């Protein structure tokens, strides 16, 4: 008898892993075309292609990753993963995308296992695993290399959750330490994991119907880590200028934003249409908020009332909804940052809660009506929905093929978003389409004539296409808008040099050198301008300064003779 019980348990374990593996395999197949996508100019350049930090895997290099912010975030483990890929494969986007897909597929595997622990049902686990894997809302987190932080943080987060579940039953200190360490790794990948200790308590309540003092004590060290990383995340966002441009934010509007976020992702889950990589604040693009935004607190209130009034005894449903809300809080814009008030990537973990509820409801439907003939129509519709989602995911992957396809989609959906046109212009310029790039820069400036970045990028285009007079005008506009933009002085100096206005070029280079006297590149530019202007005496002084900075005598002599490029 005991042997039979062990055999049944063994078969159940095998089935559990087979179900999870099947969902992960389907996910990998659906997302594999993303390996053909290139790097984009939306943070991929800052984090990978132009990031000197990931080119150094020495202890000093790793120390820099752990002691600096990158693109408004603190995510050193993400940088470490990029550095390893760069060391092994160089700057091949194929392998960076493949890593994201593998991590997402592993997350599907762990999500399926977690669902089986929660629901005790392999059918619900299969449904949730497949939905989590192939839903079109997943694309932004997987196909965008810069969003590695989503899939990597979730990888550690799910492992931590699974360890915590095992710790609950075994009370082994090693499992608790694993829970803590994996949670720490999750936070080092993305601060969105800060709510995980609350999710642990939610799971305790779901399983036991109460939260004990011992359980609270168990999560206190994790809550301390959450507090620390939450503060770091806020500093990272605001210290780098990611705060919103709209000055009208207040506590009331923040409540509306949180409520709207709760409704928005639910709607996109059920109707994943018109997906777009960037949803700029309406204030930025001169539009008004949708009607649902102003109704959202009322809608959320009704949902909460219905859950309390009719479903509070259904712990599974309550767990799913609270998981959704709690995990969404860090990205619900209660403390607004950035230019987007909603984003597909923000739903990566939170929608797991909604998937649980839908899976549970469908299973109850199957359980109650599986002997009815029309239940096969429902099963057919579910299968058709998966096929539709898979096709939608493949189509959404195409949006992320190149920077041009990405920003073309953004301006198509937000035709007054100035930054979208600027980024599209930059992508077109990199493809050698100067006229199209110029048209997009002009549109960006017409919508927002006070953004220095737009003039800077248009000036760079003019400089590279030989229109030095226009380049000088644009870099002068940048300096007017931001006198501290040292790069604009350097590039304006380059434009002056190429147009033969050497004295003005020298003046711009000298302005930089009075603040940064050891910048060799600028000193070389100044020396070339001095030589070209015929100012031999000043050129000799500059030559000696370069020699004192360690530039070789042969290199300096070549510049003096006009032979160095």
């Amino acid at each position: 008898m005991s042997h039979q019980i062990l055999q049944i348990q063994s078969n159940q374990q095998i089935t559990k892993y087979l179900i999870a593996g099947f969902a992960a395999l389907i996910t990998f197949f659906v997302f594999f075309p993303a390996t053909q996508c290139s790097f984009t100019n939306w943070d991929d350049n800052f984090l990978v292609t132009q990031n000197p930090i990931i080119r150094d895997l020495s202890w000093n290099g790793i120390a820099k990753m752990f002691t600096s912010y990158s693109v408004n975030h603190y995510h050193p483990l993400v940088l470490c993963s990029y550095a390893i890929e760069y060391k092994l494969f160089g700057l091949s986007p194929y392998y960076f995308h493949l890593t994201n897909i593998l991590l997402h597929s592993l997350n599907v595997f762990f999500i399926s296992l977690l669902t089986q622990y929660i629901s005790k049902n392999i059918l619900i686990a299969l449904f949730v695993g497949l939905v989590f894997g192939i839903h079109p809302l997943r694309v932004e987190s997987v196909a965008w290399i810069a969003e590695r932080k989503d899939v990597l943080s979730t990888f550690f987060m799910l492992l931590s959750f699974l360890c915590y579940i095992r710790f609950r039953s075994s009370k082994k200190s090693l499992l608790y330490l694993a829970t803590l360490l994996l949670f720490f790794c999750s936070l080092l990948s993305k601060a969105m994991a800060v709510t995980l200790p609350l999710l642990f308590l939610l799971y305790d309540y779901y399983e036991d119907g109460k939260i004990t003092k011992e359980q609270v004590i168990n999560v206190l060290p994790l809550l301390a880590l959450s507090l620390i990383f939450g503060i770091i995340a806020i500093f990272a966002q605001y210290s780098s200028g990611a705060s919103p441009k709209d000055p009208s934010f207040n506590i009331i509007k923040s409540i509306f934003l949180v409520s709207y976020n709760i409704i928005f992702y639910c709607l996109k889950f059920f109707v994943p249409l018109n997906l777009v990589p960037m949803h700029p604040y309406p204030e930025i693009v001169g539009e008004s908020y949708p009607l649902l935004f102003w109704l959202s607190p009322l809608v959320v209130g009704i949902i909460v009332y219905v859950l309390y009034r009719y479903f509070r005894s259904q712990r599974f449903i309550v767990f799913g909804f609270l998981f959704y809300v709690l995990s969404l809080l860090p990205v619900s814009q209660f403390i607004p940052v950035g230019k987007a008030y909603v984003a597909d990537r923000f739903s990566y973990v939170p929608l797991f809660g909604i998937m649980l509820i839908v899976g549970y409801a469908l299973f109850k439907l199957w359980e109650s009506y599986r002997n009815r003939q029309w239940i096969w129509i429902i099963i057919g519709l579910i299968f058709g929905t998966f096929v539709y989602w898979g096709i939608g995911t493949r189509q959404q992957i195409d949006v992320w093929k190149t920077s041009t396809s990405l920003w073309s989609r953004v301006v198509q959906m937000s035709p007054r978003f100035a930054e979208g046109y600027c980024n599209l212009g930059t992508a077109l310029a990199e493809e050698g389409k100067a006229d199209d790039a110029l048209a997009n820069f002009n549109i960006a400036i017409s919508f927002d004539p006070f953004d220095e970045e737009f003039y800077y990028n248009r000036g760079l285009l003019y400089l590279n296409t030989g229109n030095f007079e226009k380049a000088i005008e644009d870099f002068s506009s940048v300096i007017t808008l931001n006198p501290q933009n040292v790069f604009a002085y350097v590039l304006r100096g380059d434009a002056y040099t190429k147009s033969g206005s050497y004295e003005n070029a020298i003046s711009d280079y000298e302005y930089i050198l009075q603040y940064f006297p050891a910048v060799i590149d600028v000193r070389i530019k100044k020396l070339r301008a001095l030589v070209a202007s015929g100012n031999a005496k000043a050129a000799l002084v500059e030559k000696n300064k370069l020699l004192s900075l360690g530039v070789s005598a042969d290199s300096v002599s070549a510049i003096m003779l006009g032979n160095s490029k």
Side-chain angles (χ1 to χ4, degrees):
M1 184 68 179
S2 60
H3 175 74
Q4 290 178 330
I5 293 174
L6 288 174
Q7 185 64 43
I8 292 172
Q9 290 177 339
S10 176
N11 291 338
Q12 288 175 339
Q13 288 292 319
I14 293 172
T15 303
K16 178 171 70 174
Y17 290 116
L18 285 175
I19 288 292
F22 175 75
L25 196 62
I26 294 296
T27 298
F28 184 84
F29 169 76
V30 170
F31 271 94
F32 189 75
T35 56
Q36 303 306 309
C37 296
S38 62
F39 292 109
T40 71
N41 64 358
W42 191 13
D43 292 351
D44 288 355
N45 48 347
F46 299 122
L47 287 172
V48 182
T49 59
Q50 299 171 17
N51 189 358
I53 292 179
I54 72 163
R55 287 160 171 75
D56 183 8
L57 254 182
S58 67
W59 288 114
N60 287 336
I62 294 172
K64 287 181 182 178
M65 297 177 200
F66 278 83
T67 55
S68 60
Y69 298 137
S70 294
V71 193
N72 311 333
H73 289 278
Y74 178 70
H75 45 212
L77 286 188
V78 174
L79 296 178
C80 286
S81 71
Y82 291 148
I84 293 169
E85 286 164 311
Y86 178 77
K87 184 76 171 178
L88 294 174
F89 310 113
L91 287 176
S92 170
Y94 176 91
Y95 293 102
F96 285 84
H97 283 297
L98 183 61
T99 301
N100 275 20
I101 296 167
L102 287 170
L103 283 169
H104 178 54
S105 300
L106 286 170
N107 289 342
V108 169
F109 184 86
F110 295 136
I111 276 284
S112 181
L113 294 182
L114 180 60
T115 304
Q116 291 184 59
Y117 276 114
I118 295 170
S119 67
K120 315 297 190 295
N121 187 296
I122 60 171
L123 290 179
I124 296 176
L126 175 62
F127 174 84
V128 172
L130 287 172
V131 177
F132 188 91
I134 70 172
H135 195 282
L137 283 173
R138 313 289 89 177
V139 174
E140 187 169 307
S141 295
V142 182
W144 186 13
I145 291 172
E147 201 51 31
R148 168 75 54 81
K149 49 187 174 285
D150 254 2
V151 289
L152 187 61
S153 176
T154 304
F155 173 78
F156 290 117
M157 182 179 179
L158 292 173
L159 282 174
S160 180
F161 210 136
L162 291 170
C163 285
Y164 181 76
I165 291 174
R166 296 288 298 276
F167 165 73
R168 273 176 44 89
S169 58
S170 69
K171 302 301 181 182
K172 292 181 179 179
S173 58
L174 191 61
L175 282 170
Y176 180 77
L177 288 174
T179 300
L180 187 62
L181 178 60
L182 289 164
F183 175 55
F184 184 55
C185 290
S186 182
L187 292 171
L188 288 172
S189 304
K190 188 176 183 179
M192 186 177 172
V194 292
T195 57
L196 185 58
L198 299 180
L199 299 180
F200 287 165
L201 292 176
L202 177 63
Y203 181 78
D204 290 331
Y205 177 79
Y206 167 72
E207 288 289 352
D208 304 334
K210 61 181 179 179
I211 298 174
T212 66
K213 182 179 178 180
E214 179 187 0
Q215 290 165 343
V216 173
I217 292 173
N218 285 337
V219 303
L220 284 180
L222 288 85
L223 286 171
L225 282 175
S226 293
L227 178 62
I228 293 169
F229 276 86
I231 293 171
I232 291 173
I234 293 172
F235 271 101
Q237 289 283 340
Y238 279 83
S239 65
S240 50
S243 55
K245 291 184 177 180
D246 174 35
S248 64
F249 281 103
N250 52 55
I251 188 66
I252 301 299
K253 199 165 189 179
S254 292
I255 292 172
F256 277 93
L257 276 170
V258 173
S259 301
Y260 182 70
N261 271 255
I262 292 172
I263 303 302
F264 177 84
Y265 297 115
C266 282
L267 290 177
K268 285 298 179 182
F269 171 75
F270 290 106
V271 188
L273 300 176
N274 297 324
L275 301 183
V276 61
M278 171 69 80
H279 297 266
Y281 281 98
E283 293 88 349
I284 295 176
V285 294
E287 297 175 355
S288 57
Y289 285 93
L291 178 62
L292 182 60
F293 177 85
W294 303 111
L295 294 177
S296 56
L298 176 62
V299 175
V300 171
I302 292 172
I303 292 172
V304 171
Y305 172 77
V306 170
L307 285 174
Y308 179 78
R309 182 72 174 81
Y310 299 103
F311 296 99
R312 65 177 181 268
S313 61
Q314 299 286 329
R315 263 192 245 165
F316 193 91
I317 294 175
V318 173
F319 174 86
F321 180 74
L322 289 180
F323 184 102
Y324 172 62
V325 173
L326 288 174
S327 54
L328 186 62
L329 282 179
V331 289
S332 62
Q333 299 297 341
F334 184 77
I335 300 176
V337 293
K339 298 176 182 179
Y341 67 119
V342 289
D344 294 355
R345 61 189 180 276
F346 294 163
S347 71
Y348 188 72
V349 171
L351 277 179
F352 171 61
I354 302 302
M355 295 171 192
L356 284 174
I357 295 174
V358 175
Y360 176 78
L362 289 174
F363 177 74
K364 286 298 181 183
L365 185 68
W366 161 259
E367 200 174 43
S368 300
Y369 300 103
R370 59 185 171 185
N371 295 323
R372 306 285 181 89
Q373 288 185 343
W374 56 263
I375 196 66
W376 293 104
I377 298 176
I378 302 297
I379 294 172
L381 289 174
I382 294 171
F383 180 79
T385 300
F386 277 118
V387 173
Y388 170 73
W389 282 342
I391 294 171
T393 292
R394 287 286 182 93
Q395 291 174 340
Q396 193 65 13
I397 288 171
D398 288 339
V399 172
W400 292 88
K401 285 276 187 181
T402 65
S403 298
T404 303
S405 61
L406 170 66
W407 294 110
S408 294
R409 176 63 173 171
V410 171
V411 299
Q412 176 192 7
M413 299 302 294
S414 299
R416 293 185 60 83
F417 184 41
E419 187 175 323
Y421 288 101
C422 179
N423 292 337
L424 178 57
T426 302
L428 291 166
E430 290 173 354
E431 294 176 0
K433 300 175 181 177
D435 291 339
D436 292 336
L438 179 59
N440 279 279
F441 288 140
N442 290 338
I443 294 172
I445 291 171
S446 70
F447 284 141
D448 186 356
F450 302 105
D451 194 315
E452 64 181 277
E453 180 187 0
F454 303 161
Y455 293 100
Y456 183 93
N457 287 327
R458 190 174 70 174
L460 199 57
L461 177 67
Y462 282 136
L463 181 62
N464 292 333
T465 54
N467 194 336
F468 304 126
E469 183 179 344
K470 288 288 189 180
I472 290 166
E473 289 179 9
D474 274 349
F475 292 130
S476 296
S477 296
V478 174
I479 292 167
T480 300
L481 290 166
N482 180 12
Q484 281 75 47
N485 191 322
V486 295
F487 299 104
Y489 283 98
V490 174
L491 290 172
R492 189 174 68 173
D494 293 347
Y496 276 132
T497 299
K498 291 181 178 181
S499 65
S501 184
Y502 301 116
E503 293 303 320
N504 286 326
I506 293 165
S507 176
D508 276 346
Y509 297 143
E510 286 179 341
Y511 178 83
I512 300 301
L513 291 171
Q514 68 178 318
Y515 297 104
F516 307 99
V519 179
I520 292 173
D521 287 344
V522 178
R523 287 208 173 274
I524 290 174
K525 290 174 184 289
K526 180 186 175 184
L527 178 56
R528 289 199 189 103
L530 287 167
V531 171
S533 69
N535 192 336
K537 184 178 179 180
L540 184 60
V541 173
E542 196 62 38
K543 170 187 174 181
N544 292 329
K545 288 179 179 178
L546 280 168
L547 290 172
S548 69
L549 289 171
V551 180
S552 70
D554 289 343
S555 297
V556 175
S557 296
I559 296 169
M560 295 291 287
L561 293 172
N563 296 327
S564 176
K565 293 182 180 180

